[in-house]
Amino acid sequence: MAFWIKVCYIRSMKVLLQLCFCFISLFCFSQQAKDVDFKSAKVHVEIQPTIKKVKGQVAYTLDILKAVDSLYIDAVNMNIKNIELIQTHQQGDPEFLNFECKNNTKQLIIYYAFKQDKRYELRMEYVAHPRKAMYFVDWVEGVDTVPIENNIKEIDLRKQVWTQGQGKYTSNWLPSIDDMNDKIEFDLSITFKKGFDVITNGRLTHKETQDSTITWHYDMEQSMSSYLVALVIGKYDKKIKHSKSGIPLEMYYYPEDSLKYEPTYRYTKGIFDFFEEEIGVPYPWQNYKQIPVKDFLYAGMENTGTTIFSDSFVIDSIAFVDKNYVNVNAHELAHQWFGDLVTETSGTHHWLQEGFATYYALLAEAFFFGDDYYYWNLYQYVQELLVQEKSGQSSSLLDPKSSSTTFYKKGALVLHLLREKIGNRVFRETVKNYLLKYSFKNVRTEDFINEAENFSGKDLSGFVNRWLKDKTFYIDDAMESLEKSTFIQEYLMVDCEIASSKCITYLNSGISDESKEKVIAQNANLIKKEHFKNSVKVRQAIARYLVEIPKDLKIEYESLLNDKSYFTVEFALYNLWTNFPESRGAYLRQTKGMVGFRDKNIRTLWLTLALLTSDFEPENSQQYYKELRDYTNSRYDFNIRMNAFKYLSMIKACDQPCKNNLKQASEHHVWQFSKFARQLLKEFN
């Protein structure tokens, strides 16, 4: 019969001593993956968003690789009960075992004399109120829409639940294994109220409808680290395309954003097909899903087969010119091989995930945008690394405490240099064999380097010492490689910090847009009327750097307000308003209906300038103020709120409701935003 434990406890001093020893012993925690192999997990969770509660059941199947007297599950601040430990036999009924356990605030520890080469099943029920890893957005009981402050219309609450488990956070909502070295095949069933879409890893097998809820059943065929378990709950539409190899590509979007679907997901299928061809290893999962969410912590996250990304990248065709999803799209997809299929053993080897994803994303973009784009971005990486070097912040690529600049940008550059060193064919064979050899396993840097040495026949120890182990950034070597590009050669040749006769002709020549932007940034006084006939990118540079506008360029500069670029319009509106007070009303009337990006960059600026222009629609000033202040409310994306707070602070108009919203923002889960809010509160006080 089953041995039920309602609440975990310690029954004897002997077990208590074992527990004390366990906290001291590295074996108990960091070494568990070597002795215990968690194979699969059957998970069912019921989520109650208004009270931020997760109620669930988990059944783990595990193999004992070496006899041990205890094992643990990571479970942060959970109430766990009804635990069963079962030994499965090849013949006969399952055997329910007697055991001891301890549920502290971090782990559930099971004490039993586990036998080598035996299979066990561990079942439990739990309740969690996660403080991180699972986020409940816009949940107000019984409220779906709220009026905006000027009462002209209502705005829908976004109402989402989404997870972010990278690091060691999944154990805040699911009893799991924080150690990424133990890969588990998860099958998830999620019960949630009707009217919402539930999306998680794997293939949706079926749905069960109850009176007020639906249970969504998903199946994963392959194993993965627990931090890659993810779910999103919200209201979405989706479109599905298929890769050349037949993989379903599910692209989600908000129902009201149907016109933004194409520019947001532009090149998605092409990127997927490019990776399968370039990498040489088939996509390893059943399907690929991408879901935008509100107030996400990062640009995107590569959960297994299920990328979650910030809805700030949901854009229209105009925004595509300035800020698009292509790089993030490619980066997170590359992680499906580099990070998900093969996973680092520890932070020491983090570049094997981020450096590879950054590099392969750049390769994909180069496939669509050309080699000049590739070298331009590598050059930007080098400049960022050079700034880091000069500030004394450089670190080894194998330092687990390195900056994201090191892991991402230096990692990508190192792969570029390695490809040059061993040759294109050998590099591709190296990567392919590395992925095949270590599929669904964990890797160290030496695993990859060994493959490179085997296929190239070269001793790479010098390369490793210089580029991976040494914290120094060797700028001369990096630039020597980049200067093989005529595009980079041209860019470096152009220098107009000291104006010369040659500089006058640059902006009318056939040099690259990037080179022209460099000229404008160095000496905006060179700009003449004819230079406004350049591309959108160059005109954007004019709007950005020509802040003191000569009167003879006024008409040409005003034409920037018509550009298909939200950045250009934002810069141009502010600079024109500042330079020509007599025309402020005309500029405001011309741009009155413009919103800009999802963060309302143009609209929030427009409202601010309208409030500062005393003779512009004074009868509407109170309405404009209320709208700007309303954007500080929590029902708006944190980027919109940040813009509104910034402008209200700038014009010294953050009243008490604004300050109340700012106080709420100081506790927001996006740390950059909460830090901004706390700093602004200090200034007000």
Side-chain angles (χ1 to χ4, degrees), residues 517 539-547 557 560 568 571-572 575:
E517 181 178 356
R539 286 169 61 85
Q540 185 181 104
I542 293 174
R544 180 179 179 183
Y545 294 109
L546 185 58
V547 295
Y557 202 101
L560 297 174
T568 300
F571 293 139
N575 289 334

Side-chain angles (χ1 to χ4, degrees), residues 390-549:
K390 289 181 176 179
S391 68
Q393 300 300 311
S394 286
S395 58
S396 164
L397 202 54
L398 301 182
D399 182 350
K401 297 182 180 180
S402 286
S403 67
S404 58
T405 296
T406 297
F407 287 134
Y408 289 65
K409 310 298 176 58
K410 187 176 182 180
L413 178 64
V414 164
L415 291 172
H416 165 81
L417 295 172
L418 179 63
R419 193 168 193 155
E420 281 191 341
K421 185 175 182 64
I422 65 178
N424 183 61
R425 181 188 62 80
V426 172
F427 181 86
R428 293 182 69 180
E429 285 298 314
T430 294
V431 172
K432 179 180 179 179
N433 198 68
Y434 161 73
L435 290 173
L436 291 174
K437 185 174 182 178
Y438 296 103
S439 292
F440 309 107
K441 298 178 182 177
N442 294 81
V443 288
R444 301 168 299 172
T445 296
E446 48 263 43
D447 296 323
F448 174 68
I449 296 300
N450 287 341
E451 295 304 311
E453 289 183 328
N454 291 338
F455 277 90
S456 67
K458 295 182 178 180
D459 178 4
L460 296 176
S461 57
F463 182 90
V464 170
N465 289 334
R466 188 174 185 82
W467 288 105
L468 276 70
K469 294 183 178 181
D470 196 336
K471 69 178 184 178
T472 302
F473 178 58
Y474 294 95
I475 178 63
D476 291 341
D477 291 355
M479 288 306 302
E480 181 181 350
S481 172
L482 298 190
E483 286 176 32
K484 295 175 183 178
S485 162
T486 55
F487 170 84
I488 296 298
Q489 292 174 19
E490 175 193 86
Y491 181 83
L492 295 174
M493 175 194 69
V494 171
D495 190 347
C496 293
E497 287 187 346
I498 300 177
S500 65
S501 57
K502 185 178 292 186
C503 289
I504 302 298
T505 64
Y506 276 146
L507 297 179
N508 289 329
S509 70
I511 63 174
S512 68
D513 287 348
E514 289 78 10
S515 295
K516 290 180 179 179
E517 181 178 356
K518 180 180 178 181
V519 172
I520 294 168
Q522 290 179 334
N523 198 333
N525 293 326
L526 294 172
I527 296 172
K528 306 298 180 184
K529 291 183 179 181
E530 60 268 23
H531 300 149
F532 284 82
K533 297 178 181 179
N534 271 285
S535 69
V536 171
K537 281 189 175 181
V538 177
R539 286 169 61 85
Q540 185 181 104
I542 293 174
R544 180 179 179 183
Y545 294 109
L546 185 58
V547 295
E548 295 183 8
I549 308 169

Side-chain angles (χ1 to χ4, degrees), residues 183 220-223 245 247 272 275-276 279 281-288 304-305 333-342 435-436 439-440:
K183 296 196 171 187
M220 275 296 290
E221 295 176 351
Q222 302 288 359
S223 60
S245 59
I247 299 295
F272 193 101
F275 278 155
E276 288 205 309
I279 295 171
V281 176
Y283 177 77
W285 317 106
Q286 296 131 292
N287 50 25
Y288 185 55
T304 305
L333 179 55
H335 270 309
Q336 300 299 318
W337 287 267
F338 307 104
D340 294 7
L341 178 60
V342 294
L435 290 173
L436 291 174
S439 292
F440 309 107

Side-chain angles (χ1 to χ4, degrees), residues 158-161 192 195-199 232-236:
R158 183 58 67 192
K159 286 199 172 183
Q160 295 176 346
V161 179
F192 199 78
F196 291 85
D197 297 288
V198 176
I199 309 149
V232 175
I233 299 171
K235 296 182 179 181
Y236 294 95

